[in-house]
Amino acid sequence: MTLQIFNTASRKKEEFVPADPRRVTLYVCGPTVYSFPHIGNARPAVVFDVLYRLLMQKFEQVVYVRNITDVDDKINAAAAKEKVSIGEISTRYTRAYHQNMTDLGVLAPVIEPRVTDHMEQIIDMIERLVAAGNAYEAEGHVLFHVPSYSGYGALSGRNLRELIAGARVDVAPFKRDDTDFVLWKPSDAGQPAWDSPWGAGRPGWHIECSTMIEQHLGETIDIHGGGQDLVFPHHENERAQSTCVHGGKLLSRYWMHNGFINVDREKMSKSLGNVLLVQDLLEQAPGEAIRFALLGTHYRSPLDWSDEILNRSRRNLDRLYEVLNHLQDVEIDTSAFEVPDMFTDALEDDLNTPAAISELHRLAKQVKTASGQNARETLKGQLLAAGRMLGILQQDPAVWFRGTSEIDEAEILRLVELRSSAKKERNFKQADEIREQLTAMGIQIQDRPDGTSSWRKV
RNA sequence: GGCUAGGUGGCAGAGUGGUGAUGCAGCGGCCUGCAAAGCCGUCUAUACCGGUUCGAUUCCGGUCCUAGCCUCCA
């Protein structure tokens, strides 16, 4: 089966055929670093991480670019509020983003460009747009003239008249058309500013992605991804800029957008105060469980986040690690095993991770009835290979069950042995008391048939 | 108001023109000193109304409902 991708531009699933079969180019809009990453930032990172892993399996080279937006008025606001430099804000939150993504098992992209390193190229692209007649200067601003590009609106499926009718914001008087958007704007004293032919200022919101794509991947890329909210206006505007500056060449051959996360059936938003930070969720559950929860719903569907789905994900991982635990005696070379077809087929069907996960469960079930050593080796190899595609199940089961936080193993072992002797003497009252004591410590006891017991962190 | 996506069992969540995945929970059993874990078995669903069809959950039309975007947002 070949990879099928739902292309936002056509609103259909299409077969994915890269322009160059040996080199696939993927660009995903990364975070604006003005606060700690929330679960909504984590979803695209995890989803496109799975796509990246899948593409790497299918193609020789995958150039994955995910940017860091470190120039933005929200960053300016955060810096002003704390009375620190914007660099301090963006450095702090970039670091937090990297740490959180690592905790979620997200691989680093091949290139991670920052807007501040591309100011020259941004100015250059704006100049080219002005020269081509697609942009104009007005009162220190440079604006993209939307009516100059007839294809505007095709990505998000809207027409100009609708946009004007739906406009709810006050339109700046110097705009030639209500829909024109800013490429460059002047900075007031105290605001970060870069020199430009139009005076000291800073770039508008969309131009940085067009510029970084051109610089690192070229004029036309294979896949452009991001959150659904970026379809309009961000990606529509990016597309307009890039297409015009490149003489009508396509910016991206496929567009992919992930759905939003709701919290307890409500939209996650700062005003509702229900924004879930990744760092807080990591207190609740291991990053792998958070990742698994994100992959339990198809990426284009909305995802209702709750404590329940997180607990459920952790429990499901418990079961899968339990199965791996039973295969601990099986020695294999993991690189020698291929992911089962049914599993790959699911992922190749527009990244159907829920269906892929159900194949994982099917594999796990087979382990229980597999008797021969060959069958057990194959199943373990397939389970680990499939897990690797999703970025899960790669830990030692013992580490998964015991956790990494500070626990007093010696004390636990002492209590477990004390309880074993009590059981041997048929002093069940004492044995049960010790079990309760361990339960209170967050340790669950599992008796084995031979009288010994294993334990795990709950 | 405009545009878009969607409504599947107690919950989560796939697929499909012809006996409705998978997981959790529930129930029954095995195992256990009792548990836990595990194993075996098992109940429950395609919003509503029409149409096309031998046959629709799947295709078409309508109704109702939900979510997202149209404004900063992953």
Side-chain angles (χ1 to χ4, degrees), chain A residues 344-360:
Chain A
T344 311
D345 286 352
L347 285 186
E348 291 191 353
D349 182 12
D350 192 33
L351 238 49
N352 192 339
T353 50
I357 288 169
S358 89
E359 291 304 322
L360 216 53

Side-chain angles (χ1 to χ4, degrees), chain A residues 9 15 24 77-78 140 236 249 251 260 268 281 295 308 325 408-409 418 441:
Chain A
E15 183 178 341
V24 176
E236 191 69 70
K249 279 194 195 141
L251 168 59
F260 260 44
M268 186 168 74
L281 292 171
L295 296 175
E308 197 190 345
N325 211 10
D408 190 346
E409 280 207 34
L418 194 62
M441 291 164 67

Side-chain angles (χ1 to χ4, degrees), chain A residues 241-405:
Chain A
Q241 295 159 350
S242 295
T243 307
C244 288
V245 91
H246 296 142
K249 279 194 195 141
L250 202 60
L251 168 59
S252 182
R253 306 173 63 247
Y254 301 84
W255 293 84
M256 296 175 76
H257 294 95
N258 63 274
F260 260 44
I261 290 181
N262 298 320
V263 175
D264 291 327
R265 315 220 68 230
E266 271 187 311
K267 180 179 168 161
M268 186 168 74
S269 75
K270 299 218 161 143
S271 54
L272 286 168
N274 60 353
V275 174
L276 297 178
L277 299 184
V278 174
Q279 60 186 17
D280 292 337
L281 292 171
L282 285 166
E283 302 276 312
Q284 259 183 64
E288 193 170 335
I290 298 171
R291 182 184 178 98
F292 199 57
L294 288 171
L295 296 175
T297 300
H298 184 84
Y299 76 92
R300 280 190 281 117
S301 299
L303 168 55
D304 271 317
W305 192 269
S306 63
D307 288 349
E308 197 190 345
I309 75 155
L310 186 53
N311 291 336
R312 209 179 272 178
S313 299
R314 193 220 296 253
R315 235 186 103 58
N316 277 328
L317 282 173
D318 276 345
R319 281 172 50 89
L320 293 170
Y321 271 114
E322 185 68 42
V323 169
L324 287 175
N325 211 10
H326 284 307
L327 291 170
Q328 229 158 14
D329 55 308
V330 180
E331 298 273 346
I332 56 157
D333 171 13
T334 46
S335 61
F337 288 92
E338 297 213 341
V339 180
D341 286 345
M342 291 287 279
F343 181 88
T344 311
D345 286 352
L347 285 186
E348 291 191 353
D349 182 12
D350 192 33
L351 238 49
N352 192 339
T353 50
I357 288 169
S358 89
E359 291 304 322
L360 216 53
H361 286 298
R362 232 189 281 276
L363 279 178
K365 196 161 201 161
Q366 284 176 40
V367 171
K368 286 156 191 166
T369 48
S371 47
Q373 194 64 6
N374 276 351
R376 281 160 56 83
E377 281 177 14
T378 304
L379 285 169
K380 182 172 183 179
Q382 291 188 331
L383 211 46
L384 289 174
R388 190 165 53 221
M389 288 294 297
L390 293 177
I392 57 169
L393 300 181
Q394 303 303 298
Q395 302 185 52
D396 184 331
V399 173
W400 168 261
F401 284 119
R402 294 184 182 188
T404 47
S405 54

Side-chain angles (χ1 to χ4, degrees), chain A residues 132-145:
Chain A
N134 296 105
Y136 59 94
E137 186 186 355
E139 297 184 21
H141 294 70
V142 181
L143 293 117
F144 184 91
H145 190 45

Side-chain angles (χ1 to χ4, degrees), chain A residues 34-103:
Chain A
Y34 70 102
S35 63
F36 288 110
H38 55 71
I39 188 68
N41 296 306
R43 191 177 195 189
V46 168
V47 163
F48 290 107
D49 182 61
V50 172
L51 177 66
Y52 178 40
R53 289 167 191 256
L54 180 64
L55 290 172
M56 280 196 289
Q57 188 186 260
K58 294 181 69 73
F59 300 96
E60 250 172 67
Q61 191 190 359
V62 182
V63 188
Y64 176 24
V65 177
R66 191 188 59 210
N67 72 293
I68 296 276
T69 298
D70 59 356
V71 174
D72 186 277
D73 285 353
K74 291 189 291 294
I75 298 173
N76 300 344
K81 195 174 168 192
E82 290 186 35
K83 299 188 169 59
V84 297
S85 68
I86 60 164
E88 190 167 332
I89 295 291
S90 59
T91 302
R92 180 199 305 161
Y93 295 117
T94 298
R95 193 170 295 155
Y97 184 77
H98 286 155
Q99 182 59 53
N100 286 171
M101 292 311 114
T102 301
D103 290 340

